[in-house]
Amino acid sequence: MSKDPPAIRPTDLATKLGISVPYASQLLSGERKPSIEKALEFYDKAGVKLGPLANASDETIASLRGLAA
């Protein structure tokens, strides 16, 4: 089974988040997983669900925001 390509390129993600391209690539591939707080920040900035948010629904993300506040 082949994996779908990421919806965003590492270079674009890196630019939006102000991180390095290698780190963005690792996030997109699942090699590195950000904390919930960082994942929420990244989602707000780039609209990409990474790490603990990868399969989260909008309702779950809203609940996590309440816990992180």
Side-chain angles (χ1 to χ4, degrees):
M1 175 164 91
S2 67
K3 224 177 165 183
D4 292 332
I8 187 169
R9 297 180 319 187
T11 52
D12 296 334
L13 184 65
T15 300
K16 286 184 178 191
L17 300 180
I19 60 175
S20 70
V21 174
Y23 182 46
S25 180
Q26 291 170 338
L27 289 171
L28 289 170
S29 71
E31 185 178 336
R32 300 268 310 262
K33 295 190 183 345
S35 67
I36 290 174
E37 292 83 3
K38 275 292 183 192
L40 287 168
E41 178 186 331
F42 292 166
Y43 180 69
D44 290 341
K45 289 182 177 179
V48 179
K49 296 178 182 178
L50 301 167
L53 302 183
N55 297 311
S57 67
D58 291 340
E59 293 80 20
T60 300
I61 292 173
S63 295
L64 291 171
R65 282 185 203 287
L67 294 174

